[in-house]
Amino acid sequence: MADAEREDAAETDTPNSSDAKEKNVISSMSDESGTLLRRMEITVAEAEKRTGKKAVNMQETYTVYLIETRPSAAVNGGQSVAPDALWRRYSEFELLRNYLIVTYPYIVVPPLPEKRAEFVWHKLSADNMDPDFVERRRVGLENFLLRVASHPVMSNDAILYHFLTKERGWKEVVYDTGFQAKADSRIRALNATFRVKNPDKRFMEMKHYSDELQSITSQLLRARARVADRLYGVYKVHGNYGRVFSEWSAIEKEMGDGLQSAGHHMDAYAASIDDILEEEEHYADQIKEYLFFAEALRAVCRKHELSQYELETASLDLTSKRQQREELATGIVRTFSFKGMTTKLFGQETAEQREARLKMLEEQIVEGDDTVKEKTSECEDIVSSGWEDMQRFKEQKDRDLREALINYAYMQISMCKKGIQVWTNAKECFSKM
Amino acid sequence: MDTSITDGGSFNASMPTSPGSMINQYKFDEEDEQEDPGAKDIFITVDNPESHVTTIETFITYRVLTKTTRSEFDSSEYEVRRRYQDFLWLKGRLEEANPTLIVHPLPEKFVMKGMVERFNDDFIETRRRALHRFLNRVSEHPILSCNEDFKIFLTAQAWELTSHKKQGPGFLSRMGDTVRAVAASVRGVKSRPEEFNSMQEYVEAFSQKMTSLDRITQRIVKEEREYLEELKEYAPTYTLWSGSEEELAEPLKGVASCVDRCFQETEEQVRQFSDTLAPALHEYVLSAETLKAVLRRRDFIQAELEAKNEALAAKRADRDADPRERGVVWQSLLGKDPEEARQQRQQRLTGEIHELKEEIDKLEDRMEWANNALKGDWSRWQRSMRTDLKEVFITTAQKNVDHYEKCLAVWESFLLSMRSEVGDINQPSSDDS
């Protein structure tokens, strides 16, 4: 998620629209024309705790998120229209995403914010109910919706529209699409190991890249969390100076005032790290999004591999069946077949049997031919659409991450400025000692 | 600065000709705020540590170089080598000659914390600096710098010093001093003057505060070092990532380079803490112990004086007592003439009383000398404590400001390079702190 504002993006006329973190509009989304986002403003406005009954009389506490939508035309026309709103749980977002993955297998589907807090440094809570975590998740969910709604293909999906606009009955509608069955078989297929003879080189490179991206971003996030932890310690110990200077000032005459005020600055210095690191968490979230994106990218590459494999298998099968027909028709055995062996061992089959087998083979060949045509077309689809979407993803990634890095630099600069201020003030107090 | 003390002329440094007058002049000098730096007529450096190996031991000697225009020195330049033991000896002699003057502390015998060996380079360097400060402080002290042992320390060759050391007060007399001191501490002081009571209170509190500050500083150094460890692992993750990217390679390498530069700057900053601030604070922890010892020694003298006064009063009471209350009966049992016995006793007591009175006179002089010396040195000490600590705090604060300014420049130049690549980048609203 990037914090920059763009003139194109859906904006409210609320006074705090300049607060970048609340707006959560990404520069890479603004250029999409004709997408849902253009027509409709979407926000995940709030989060609330609910308790409900799970199975077997057990109470569970969960969080719901308020999705608000408003037609952009109305907003831009200056009318103050009340937004439509509905509540959704995280699990419903998950369901939506699973549906999208199955329905658009060649699209790099945006990830959801993490289910459980990872890469935490010790002061940061790993508790799912922690308000800071919930808030960051709210932002992440909004980000997800905005990305999907601005995608040239996915934004037109009816299920998506339903998700955003009708609270009740959505789950049934999703299940009715039968995507679940496809999802299960897909998972099984993708987890299987298979060898592809002629995968598209570009997809293989992308897959390799997605592995690297996953690995490197996790490393980066881990290292950053450790650095944050240590920096926290350094700043907080300075707070002790504040305490002792204050106590010391009580026994000094001339030095007392200077020491006392210097002590206050030490306290301020120690306290400043909390805000600094909280801001950095947003940067970490931006990197995290692409850690999860890497997995989505990999999935598309795997899908290509799978469809290519199925095509290759179907082609091989078709070729072998054609060959069998030829052998049956001409009597020349070129390839080894079990039937051929048993025929040799147990004697020639009858003419009727041969006819029957030939007819069956013909049918199978017709089927096989269709399958190959189908698989070829599917493969070509995935290659062309998948490649197109991967290019789109690449450009989006380059823009988003570049912005994230620049934001990071701004954060560091802000931290340095605070440091300069505190120590300059402290120096002044020391001079007055 | 009272010039009459440093005026070589007819002045014999080892024996104040008129203690009262000299100390009275010293007392008046506490009104002087600054010692005239232009009047500094002796310059001492301690450097060039060298290892010496003998069959019995290995030890370090330091070169002590003295340049002076003082007339009590035969030459204007001296170069000698001294070992730590020699410094200890000198300090002991200075304290013996002036029990209530505040002598600058020596670095400790060996470092307890961590695994610092005696011959570790950092340890030797820290010790060298402290020894250098010690000698310079002594040379700046109006009374101590005139001490004969000090002169011998600076000028005598190794064998000369060894033989001079042997001439000092013998073991037995030092034992005697210790016994008296112990006895005095057991006796305790009956009526300590109020100003010394408040000194005592101050020193207790000051000692506590310095110890705390010393500990806090050590802790900060430790935390910073651990922070640097993690930072070292962090920068390379960006470099590694840049290897997998095209568009993002430059920004990623830029961030890596910034983090690396900040790492180097932080190393500098930590060095300031551990090389300058920590030793300064530690020296004042030791200095506080010196103050406690000085107050104790003053108390000893007072305790002795009080004891002798009590003894005097007792003897007087004894002499003036009714003979019938005394052991005249006992004497008569032994066959002595009561009148003769009484006169004998009277004479004896009168003699003892006379002796006691002489001792008390001397002690009272000594007490006055000691009290005035302490009072004078006390304000001197307070002034230099204030100057020393103020200076080191200001330097540390400035070093921190410099550190943040350097890091700020690093990140700003990164942003500049980013801007020049693309053109216009929107800045988040949280730019200015």
Side-chain angles (χ1 to χ4, degrees):
Chain A
M1 307 162 271
D3 296 337
E5 294 163 52
R6 285 280 167 160
E7 64 289 332
D8 256 3
E11 278 181 35
T12 51
D13 46 3
T14 53
N16 62 348
S17 59
S18 62
D19 185 345
K21 284 185 203 73
E22 289 206 4
K23 258 324 9 228
N24 192 23
V25 180
I26 307 161
S27 59
S28 54
M29 293 190 220
S30 65
D31 305 333
E32 312 297 350
S33 47
T35 61
L36 186 60
L37 197 56
R38 271 292 203 160
R39 295 177 278 123
M40 181 195 221
E41 174 200 295
I42 306 167
T43 52
V44 176
E46 279 167 45
E48 245 181 48
K49 264 205 270 232
R50 294 274 167 85
T51 37
K53 275 207 169 69
K54 233 177 153 170
V56 206
N57 256 1
M58 277 200 311
Q59 285 252 309
E60 62 154 352
T61 316
Y62 56 90
T63 315
V64 285
Y65 301 88
L66 183 68
I67 303 178
E68 287 184 346
T69 50
R70 236 192 308 209
S72 315
V75 177
N76 292 341
Q79 307 163 32
S80 67
V81 179
D84 290 323
L86 47 80
W87 295 94
R88 292 260 183 244
R89 292 179 66 160
Y90 184 85
S91 55
E92 293 176 274
F93 280 85
E94 277 182 310
L95 186 56
L96 173 65
R97 183 163 192 270
N98 286 338
Y99 162 79
L100 289 171
I101 292 174
V102 172
T103 315
Y104 303 97
Y106 53 86
I107 299 282
V108 182
V109 177
L112 287 171
E114 54 193 354
K115 195 155 191 172
R116 258 163 282 281
E118 273 177 64
F119 304 109
V120 287
W121 53 280
H122 90 278
K123 269 295 164 193
L124 208 58
S125 176
D127 176 20
N128 280 5
M129 286 296 163
D130 177 73
D132 284 335
F133 179 75
V134 169
E135 170 59 18
R136 295 210 330 273
R137 206 195 235 189
R138 182 196 67 77
V139 172
L141 290 174
E142 185 178 281
N143 191 54
F144 167 78
L145 289 179
L146 293 174
R147 286 208 191 274
V148 173
S150 62
H151 190 281
V153 175
M154 288 191 292
S155 61
N156 297 316
D157 190 282
I159 297 289
L160 169 69
Y161 189 76
H162 195 145
F163 178 89
L164 293 169
T165 52
K166 292 198 198 77
E167 186 158 350
R168 296 194 182 286
W170 176 77
K171 268 199 191 158
E172 288 75 18
V173 177
V174 181
Y175 284 124
D176 274 352
T177 62
F179 90 95
Q180 196 66 56
K182 277 198 258 171
D184 294 337
S185 74
R186 176 179 176 273
I187 289 171
R188 258 181 282 123
L190 286 178
N191 283 339
T193 18
F194 47 82
R195 230 189 128 251
V196 189
K197 294 216 180 79
N198 289 315
D200 185 304
K201 266 215 179 77
R202 301 170 302 172
F203 278 72
M204 290 303 97
E205 276 169 18
M206 265 302 181
K207 187 171 119 178
H208 183 67
Y209 169 77
S210 76
D211 287 338
E212 281 181 355
L213 186 64
Q214 251 189 318
S215 156
I216 194 60
T217 46
S218 342
Q219 235 182 308
L220 193 152
L221 286 166
R222 245 194 314 270
R224 190 213 71 90
R226 280 202 284 261
V227 167
D229 201 24
R230 288 298 169 197
L231 191 61
Y232 183 85
V234 169
Y235 270 70
K236 285 301 176 189
V237 178
H238 279 80
N240 290 323
Y241 275 147
R243 183 179 45 87
V244 179
F245 279 170
S246 183
E247 291 167 9
W248 181 13
S249 72
I251 60 170
E252 297 291 343
K253 285 178 230 119
E254 294 146 321
M255 287 167 45
D257 287 337
L259 277 175
Q260 176 90 315
S261 37
H264 289 149
H265 292 297
M266 291 298 99
D267 287 333
Y269 183 70
S272 68
I273 192 66
D274 293 310
D275 283 345
I276 289 168
L277 287 177
E278 197 190 298
E279 236 199 297
E280 249 192 52
E281 277 312 307
H282 289 275
Y283 168 72
D285 283 342
Q286 286 175 291
I287 305 291
K288 234 179 265 183
E289 197 196 9
Y290 278 92
L291 167 64
F292 302 141
F293 250 127
E295 214 178 294
L297 181 63
R298 187 173 204 279
V300 173
C301 297
R302 282 290 281 168
K303 192 73 180 102
H304 157 76
E305 277 184 314
L306 182 62
S307 74
Q308 178 72 14
Y309 175 73
E310 285 171 356
L311 172 61
E312 284 172 4
T313 310
S315 301
L316 273 173
D317 191 55
L318 183 63
T319 309
S320 125
K321 290 220 156 44
R322 284 207 171 116
Q323 246 171 0
Q324 280 178 45
R325 180 186 57 184
E326 202 190 306
E327 284 163 19
L328 220 52
T330 62
I332 301 169
V333 181
R334 242 179 297 214
T335 59
F336 174 82
S337 78
F338 188 62
K339 199 78 178 110
M341 271 313 293
T342 54
T343 311
K344 281 213 151 71
L345 288 171
F346 300 112
Q348 289 276 8
E349 52 187 355
T350 63
E352 288 101 12
Q353 283 174 325
R354 245 190 65 206
E355 273 305 313
R357 261 203 323 127
L358 208 57
K359 191 163 165 228
M360 202 177 67
L361 266 177
E362 289 288 351
E363 280 169 17
Q364 283 176 344
I365 285 169
V366 168
E367 260 178 49
D369 203 35
D370 282 340
T371 308
V372 168
K373 284 204 182 80
E374 195 187 299
K375 288 293 169 189
T376 306
S377 144
E378 188 187 296
C379 218
E380 276 168 5
D381 261 348
I382 287 182
V383 167
S384 68
S385 315
W387 183 247
E388 197 184 307
D389 199 61
M390 290 201 291
Q391 288 305 106
R392 182 204 57 84
F393 167 75
K394 181 184 180 297
E395 279 166 31
Q396 169 202 296
K397 170 204 62 140
D398 285 343
R399 266 185 310 221
D400 288 349
L401 288 175
R402 186 197 164 87
E403 228 172 286
L405 291 172
I406 288 173
N407 277 345
Y408 186 65
Y410 276 115
M411 285 178 208
Q412 299 304 306
I413 286 173
S414 161
M415 179 172 96
C416 290
K417 283 186 178 168
K418 283 188 193 150
I420 290 169
Q421 196 180 58
V422 162
W423 286 104
T424 306
N425 290 339
K427 184 182 163 197
E428 228 181 273
C429 297
F430 290 138
S431 314
K432 297 202 183 105
M433 263 167 69
Chain B
M1 193 58 244
D2 180 11
T3 52
S4 74
I5 291 176
T6 54
D7 169 25
S10 55
F11 184 70
N12 184 341
S14 63
M15 217 175 61
T17 43
S18 165
S21 69
M22 190 173 80
I23 284 309
N24 284 332
Q25 274 177 313
Y26 182 46
K27 193 168 67 169
F28 292 143
D29 286 334
E30 67 187 72
E31 304 310 320
D32 286 359
E33 275 303 317
Q34 283 297 110
E35 291 176 358
D36 180 10
K40 188 166 163 134
D41 53 5
I42 181 165
F43 297 86
I44 307 174
T45 46
V46 177
D47 59 13
N48 192 240
E50 264 174 22
S51 191
H52 290 255
V53 185
T54 69
T55 46
I56 321 166
E57 57 176 345
T58 309
F59 57 91
I60 307 276
T61 62
Y62 303 84
R63 181 177 78 147
V64 178
L65 187 63
T66 309
K67 294 194 181 140
T68 179
T69 54
R70 289 188 185 173
S71 46
E72 64 264 30
F73 287 84
D74 295 331
S75 167
S76 62
E77 196 168 314
Y78 291 91
E79 184 176 324
V80 295
R81 294 206 73 89
R82 295 284 176 255
R83 57 185 290 190
Y84 180 76
Q85 266 182 27
D86 299 331
F87 286 82
L88 270 180
W89 168 84
L90 174 63
K91 178 160 191 265
R93 297 291 295 152
L94 291 172
E95 282 174 342
E96 259 179 73
N98 311 278
T100 58
L101 287 183
I102 303 168
V103 180
H104 193 82
L106 273 179
E108 285 146 317
K109 281 207 177 112
F110 56 85
V111 182
M112 292 287 238
K113 54 186 179 279
M115 237 73 79
V116 183
E117 308 138 26
R118 270 194 311 137
F119 305 111
N120 170 278
D121 280 345
D122 279 342
F123 174 73
I124 292 172
E125 175 59 17
T126 310
R127 184 179 260 199
R128 182 198 68 76
R129 288 194 201 158
L131 295 174
H132 176 97
R133 270 194 299 276
F134 169 77
L135 287 180
N136 276 283
R137 286 303 167 92
V138 172
S139 78
E140 289 160 15
H141 193 290
I143 298 173
L144 295 176
S145 69
C146 308
N147 183 284
E148 182 66 21
D149 290 315
F150 180 56
K151 178 167 161 233
I152 290 173
F153 177 92
L154 293 175
T155 60
Q157 290 307 305
W159 59 268
E160 286 175 320
L161 182 64
T162 313
S163 73
H164 175 80
K165 276 193 199 182
K166 291 201 174 101
Q167 289 168 24
F171 176 70
L172 284 175
S173 98
R174 269 178 291 169
M175 267 296 286
D177 283 342
T178 314
V179 169
R180 275 171 45 232
V182 168
S185 71
V186 168
R187 207 181 296 132
V189 169
K190 295 265 163 68
S191 54
R192 191 194 284 140
E194 186 48 42
E195 61 193 317
F196 296 118
N197 269 331
S198 37
M199 267 188 215
Q200 181 78 30
E201 272 170 33
Y202 174 84
V203 170
E204 304 265 339
F206 179 81
S207 172
Q208 260 181 14
K209 300 312 147 201
M210 279 301 120
T211 308
S212 292
L213 290 176
D214 187 28
R215 257 206 305 268
I216 293 167
T217 309
Q218 303 293 347
R219 176 84 189 278
I220 288 179
V221 169
K222 176 169 170 282
E223 296 280 342
E224 292 263 23
R225 293 219 166 107
E226 285 173 354
Y227 167 67
L228 283 169
E229 287 285 311
E230 299 299 347
L231 208 55
K232 210 168 24 169
E233 306 291 318
Y234 181 49
T237 60
Y238 286 97
T239 312
L240 190 62
W241 190 357
S242 73
S244 305
E245 297 287 342
E246 296 153 5
E247 289 288 312
L248 283 176
E250 279 311 304
L252 286 169
K253 277 194 268 192
V255 171
S257 143
C258 289
V259 175
D260 195 49
R261 284 285 307 281
C262 290
F263 170 82
Q264 287 165 21
E265 296 300 338
T266 309
E267 275 188 323
E268 256 300 304
Q269 184 201 22
V270 178
R271 222 169 282 143
Q272 159 72 11
F273 260 77
S274 72
D275 287 355
T276 310
L277 181 61
L281 290 171
H282 194 68
E283 227 168 63
Y284 274 94
V285 171
L286 297 175
S287 190
E289 293 306 304
T290 305
L291 290 175
K292 285 183 194 169
V294 162
L295 285 169
R296 260 198 310 272
R297 288 196 286 263
R298 193 216 68 86
D299 279 354
F300 293 161
I301 300 173
Q302 185 171 336
E304 250 194 284
L305 183 59
E306 285 173 356
K308 287 211 155 46
N309 274 321
E310 280 167 21
L312 179 67
K315 285 206 195 300
R316 281 196 175 133
D318 199 11
R319 184 186 56 181
D320 303 338
D322 187 337
R324 270 168 299 193
E325 294 167 3
R326 297 288 157 185
V328 174
V329 174
W330 178 241
Q331 297 274 9
S332 64
L333 276 177
L334 294 174
K336 279 208 175 134
D337 174 32
E339 189 51 36
E340 204 189 310
R342 194 183 72 84
Q343 280 203 351
Q344 271 182 357
R345 230 186 78 249
Q346 290 292 79
Q347 267 182 340
R348 179 176 54 88
L349 278 175
T350 307
E352 285 172 1
I353 286 168
H354 184 77
E355 256 181 56
L356 252 185
K357 269 170 88 173
E358 271 185 13
E359 282 173 21
I360 285 173
D361 275 344
K362 284 209 196 104
L363 253 185
E364 272 174 357
D365 269 351
R366 222 178 121 212
M367 180 86 273
E368 198 194 329
W369 197 102
N371 284 345
N372 289 335
L374 177 51
K375 277 190 273 189
D377 238 17
W378 176 254
S379 10
R380 192 169 184 279
W381 179 88
Q382 282 192 307
R383 278 202 307 276
S384 39
M385 181 271 286
R386 182 168 160 216
T387 310
D388 287 347
L389 292 182
K390 182 171 160 178
E391 190 191 312
V392 84
F393 286 148
I394 290 174
T395 311
T396 302
Q398 183 58 49
K399 196 71 191 177
N400 283 345
V401 170
D402 292 344
H403 166 256
Y404 280 115
E405 280 182 346
K406 288 197 195 116
C407 291
L408 179 72
V410 161
W411 287 104
E412 278 187 337
S413 80
F414 166 76
L415 281 182
L416 214 60
S417 72
M418 288 293 105
R419 241 170 244 156
S420 67
E421 269 183 44
V422 187
D424 179 62
I425 302 265
N426 280 345
Q427 295 179 21
S429 55
S430 53
D431 180 17
D432 287 303
S433 52

